[in-house]
Amino acid sequence: MNDLIPDRGNYTPTSVLAKQGVTAIGGIAGGVLLFIMGAFPVAGLIAGAVAGIAGIFVLRSRDPDDRKPGVIISFAGALTVLSSLAKITKFAGSLGALAETLLNISGAALLIMGIWNGIKFFRGLKRRS
């Protein structure tokens, strides 16, 4: 009950902690970046094109675990390009508004996911000490 030495068998493995930490940083950075790319249309257009191309290269990876992030990166790049084009040219109309809304939802979701993984990371880190 009141052991002086805590149970060392109930801790989060290092590999899981590392994955949670990377996911937390990536999610927070990705969410903030999506909000920034949505706020600046010209920079968003360039960054969205770069993200779309990078996502396509990640999709072509031989590792199946890399395909899911590749789809997400490509989708975020396409949304950013479409949203930026709608802001710059007023061409896309309701499709551009939909892309902008989805971009904001994606940014918020990434941010929330990153914060949640950060909380799990710090909980697991605390259990180890």
Side-chain angles (χ1 to χ4, degrees):
M1 272 196 208
N2 294 328
D3 293 335
L4 295 176
I5 301 172
D7 182 17
R8 295 288 180 189
N10 190 16
Y11 62 87
T12 308
T14 306
S15 61
V16 173
L17 274 178
K19 191 177 283 191
Q20 286 174 345
V22 169
T23 305
I25 291 171
I28 292 170
V32 169
L33 189 62
L34 280 179
F35 284 131
I36 290 172
M37 287 190 319
F40 301 106
V42 176
L45 183 65
I46 295 167
V50 170
I53 292 169
I56 290 170
F57 279 115
V58 172
L59 270 171
R60 297 182 67 199
S61 172
R62 292 180 189 204
D63 186 11
D65 291 338
D66 289 343
R67 293 193 181 132
K68 190 178 194 181
V71 169
I72 293 170
I73 293 169
S74 299
F75 188 66
L79 283 177
T80 305
V81 167
L82 191 57
S83 173
S84 297
L85 280 175
K87 287 180 183 177
I88 293 171
T89 63
K90 308 287 186 218
F91 172 70
S94 62
L95 187 61
L98 177 66
E100 187 173 352
T101 302
L102 288 175
L103 189 67
N104 288 333
I105 291 171
S106 301
L110 274 173
L111 200 58
I112 291 168
M113 181 194 69
I115 291 170
W116 178 248
N117 277 305
I119 291 169
K120 290 191 321 188
F121 171 77
F122 284 116
R123 277 188 193 161
L125 201 59
K126 187 177 179 182
R127 281 190 204 133
R128 292 183 68 89
S129 60

